[in-house]
Amino acid sequence: MKVTSEQAKQLLTDQLSVWESARDNYKALEAVQVKELTVEGCTVKIQFNPARIVSSAAKVDTQSLKERKCFLCAENRPEVQEGLPDGSYTWLINPFPIFPEHFTIPVNEHLPQLIEKRFGDMLRLAHAAEHYVLFYNGPKCGASAPDHAHFQAGNKGFLPLEKELKKYRRIPIRTEKSARLSQVEDYICPFFLIEAESEETAEKLFVKLYNALELKEGEPEPMMNILTW
Ligand SMILES: [Zn+2]
């Protein structure tokens, strides 16, 4: 089964009707303070969101991970939490949201957060859930569960970059049929961009990019965050 945007949204509605603390956190999100700044021509949204401290301050060192029960493994999830199966993944609502609609999509086994073999899955998930932006935080790049592979999804229309992408100049690097890999340097945090009409060509370009990225000593993969829509 492929989870669509409508099914994900329904899961959120259903869960918020029975899960009080998650409902409180989504309610609190409506009242968080947001400040918008323009930095070198780019819009930056700063969110003061105290409910996030549980997630953003999660200890991710090896010892702490060993001592805590993994909150993405099915057997350790709160009883009230339900999931939508999607192949080898499960959609869950994120009880500590940043987005007005925020999901965590863990793989069904306790396997480490690594992107190399899962980028195609990310594209497939994003393709089916077209109202959402999927994101990946590398094990050393913000993932609060680096020991359990997962993506996150948030509703479109929320991230400034999504709206502003068109205005940035692309420096071409490579093409694969009609797909393009380019570099965007004008953004506050320069990034690589893959634009493609098919998952196959996007994946081919990703593999080339992945293999060209610097791998620091002792790291399982090049450090990265990925957004996909
Ligand atoms: Zn786990």
Side-chain angles (χ1 to χ4, degrees), residues 68-74 76 109-111 147-149:
R68 68 113 164 87
K69 277 186 179 169
C70 174
F71 58 90
L72 293 181
C73 276
N76 302 327
E109 283 173 86
H110 187 81
L111 295 168
D147 54 340
H148 193 131

